[in-house]
Amino acid sequence: MISFSKPSSIDYDTRIFALREKDEEVSVTLLRSRQRIKLVLGDYQRTRLKDSKPTSATLCKKGSEYYINIQVKSEAPEQIHVDTVLGVDLGITDIAVTSEGQKFGGKTIKLIKNHYASMRAVLQQKAVKGTRSSRRRCRELQQRLSGKEARYQRQINHEISKAIVTRAQEIPAKIALEDLTGIREGVNQKAGKNHRRKVNGWAFYQLKEFLGYKALAAGVPLVLVDPAYTSQTCHQCGEHGIRNGKSFKCPVCGWSGDADFNGAKNIAFLGRYVDRPGGSEGLPSIKAVLSGLLKAPVFRPE
Ligand SMILES: [Zn+2]
């Protein structure tokens, strides 16, 4: 037997649906008439709808209420043209350190991560050993916990990426990050142990993604640089230095300090040689730049 269910949604394109922004209502063509329907909007929806061009909409009925899903296309603003670069080193203890020395993450987040990790360990033990019902309860708790942890991580990544993009807008500067694509898969041969730890660490790809779309929306260019030797090179003199955990020391000029800050400075330096976003091919390495193989670009003194 074939059963036909009553359709519960209608698709609209821009010919038969219109958004009247000022009045916060939509005008849709129904079976026999064209109706104006008042929208119930929250702040988020209001911001998204503002100055956007709706492309299509779906009207759904859930119980006795109607919902409308409006697809909007937001146009990215024109990218700013600057020579100044804000280098960002995505790390482990500090989730991000900028070439201005601003640090994000650190102790509090580490404590919370450790707290989640120890709870996971306890639950895992109980989930294996306990009675049948306690095992089930543990599994439920484990699931809830992983959801909570993921939401926490997401929230923090949103905050960090927003702060970095806002700062780049203020300077104004483009953002430079290390190109670590393919490292987790072992494709990227340039990566050392330190880089592999990074990409396996704190939701690295999520933070990168958030930075990418927030930068685009703010008109801030984002460029990727060659990661090779950015953490071993001294940003002051360009010589090979010694990295020990979070600290860096240069035996040649004597500079010592935060290793991630040193990395961020090198990333910013390299960012001046890259003027187009994306693309991991043909990125200049710090060695090539320092050995004079590349002519220095013209940039304003900082
Ligand atoms: Zn040095």
Side-chain angles (χ1 to χ4, degrees):
M1 199 179 86
I2 305 165
S3 72
F4 293 94
S5 62
K6 245 197 199 157
S8 59
S9 71
I10 316 170
D11 290 320
Y12 287 101
D13 65 17
T14 41
R15 281 168 305 174
I16 50 172
F17 136 85
L19 176 73
R20 294 178 199 285
E21 214 181 282
K22 220 173 71 196
D23 313 318
E24 296 197 344
E25 59 183 27
V26 284
S27 167
V28 290
T29 304
L30 296 174
L31 212 52
R32 287 188 191 86
S33 62
R34 197 162 169 93
Q35 292 259 339
R36 283 185 170 203
I37 302 168
K38 191 104 186 121
L39 295 168
V40 184
L41 297 175
D43 279 344
Y44 174 73
Q45 285 95 339
R46 202 163 283 136
T47 332
R48 286 304 309 271
L49 283 175
K50 200 171 178 288
D51 304 323
S52 65
K53 289 194 184 88
T55 50
S56 62
T58 308
L59 187 67
C60 321
K61 192 181 179 199
K62 271 185 206 158
S64 59
E65 292 191 328
Y66 285 92
Y67 291 85
I68 189 160
N69 295 317
I70 302 173
Q71 276 84 45
V72 292
K73 212 182 200 168
S74 37
E75 270 161 47
E78 187 130 343
Q79 304 271 290
I80 52 169
H81 291 283
V82 280
D83 301 317
T84 314
V85 187
L86 181 66
V88 182
D89 191 32
L90 301 179
I92 299 152
T93 312
D94 286 315
I95 293 163
V97 176
T98 73
S99 51
E100 291 187 318
Q102 201 176 359
K103 291 179 186 178
F104 298 93
K107 270 192 196 136
T108 329
I109 290 171
K110 207 170 177 189
L111 281 174
I112 293 170
K113 290 285 283 181
N114 288 346
H115 167 73
Y116 278 123
S118 62
M119 268 168 83
R120 264 202 311 271
V122 171
L123 282 171
Q124 183 54 33
Q125 241 179 9
K126 286 189 178 166
V128 181
K129 283 184 182 154
T131 61
R132 198 141 72 118
S133 68
S134 80
R135 285 205 303 266
R136 200 188 54 223
R137 254 212 346 266
C138 281
R139 278 197 304 273
E140 282 166 9
L141 267 171
Q142 276 175 319
Q143 262 176 12
R144 214 155 22 153
L145 189 69
S146 72
K148 230 173 141 179
E149 189 176 3
R151 280 194 297 278
Y152 171 71
Q153 193 160 274
R154 204 181 163 79
Q155 180 58 33
I156 296 290
N157 278 342
H158 267 304
E159 284 167 20
I160 295 175
S161 52
K162 192 176 168 198
I164 292 172
V165 171
T166 308
R167 181 62 199 136
Q169 243 177 335
E170 276 168 13
I171 298 176
K174 56 179 169 180
I175 296 173
L177 295 174
E178 286 173 301
D179 178 23
L180 300 178
T181 42
I183 285 179
R184 190 156 53 176
E185 298 76 19
V187 185
N188 194 328
Q189 296 302 319
K190 285 168 184 166
K193 197 173 68 190
N194 189 44
H195 287 132
R196 276 196 299 278
R197 275 186 66 209
K198 272 186 199 178
V199 296
N200 291 323
W202 175 271
F204 176 82
Y205 287 102
Q206 188 181 59
L207 181 56
K208 225 185 117 188
E209 187 198 318
F210 288 179
L211 272 171
Y213 82 75
K214 284 190 169 82
L216 188 72
V220 170
L222 188 143
V223 295
L224 298 175
V225 304
D226 188 332
Y229 306 106
T230 51
S231 53
Q232 292 106 299
T233 308
C234 168
H235 78 274
Q236 282 283 328
C237 69
E239 293 295 330
H240 201 86
I242 300 144
R243 190 188 169 132
N244 191 357
K246 264 296 260 175
S247 62
F248 179 92
K249 195 166 172 29
C250 175
V252 182
C253 74
W255 187 88
S256 68
D258 186 288
D260 293 332
F261 170 66
N262 179 63
K265 286 295 250 186
N266 284 330
I267 293 165
F269 171 73
L270 272 175
R272 297 194 184 110
Y273 295 83
V274 187
D275 54 6
R276 64 197 155 81
S280 56
E281 291 298 306
L283 291 176
S285 76
I286 198 159
K287 290 252 153 138
V289 173
L290 289 172
S291 62
L293 288 174
L294 274 157
K295 251 171 86 184
V298 186
F299 57 86
R300 289 180 226 116
E302 282 174 306

